[in-house]
Amino acid sequence: MALAWEQTTIAATDPGALGRWWCEALGWVVVDDDHPDVFEIRPEADRIPGLLFLRVDAPKTGKNR
């Protein structure tokens, strides 16, 4: 059985705005923007890996560990 890297998840206070910026910067396509808390882009609609932006309410307060 082989594993496939499907996406990288990114926490954002405004996933739509951040996702649209990256979509334009990379020249990728939007594959999921149906929900205000989720925004997903990929190089092509059926190609992986992609970027998944998820809404978080609180700003980051500590270091990444």
Side-chain angles (χ1 to χ4, degrees):
M1 172 193 274
L3 297 177
W5 170 30
E6 185 173 342
Q7 61 203 3
T8 297
T9 303
I10 300 167
T13 55
D14 188 350
L18 186 59
R20 280 187 286 280
W21 188 91
W22 277 107
C23 187
E24 186 175 329
L26 296 171
W28 288 11
V29 297
V30 176
V31 294
D32 184 7
D33 66 347
D34 295 337
H35 194 276
D37 295 339
V38 177
F39 195 90
E40 184 179 0
I41 63 173
R42 292 184 183 176
E44 296 174 14
D46 59 348
R47 197 167 140 214
I48 57 175
L51 296 175
L52 177 67
F53 300 88
L54 297 176
R55 181 177 308 279
V56 293
D57 295 327
K60 183 177 170 182
T61 58
K63 293 181 179 180
N64 287 342
R65 301 222 183 259

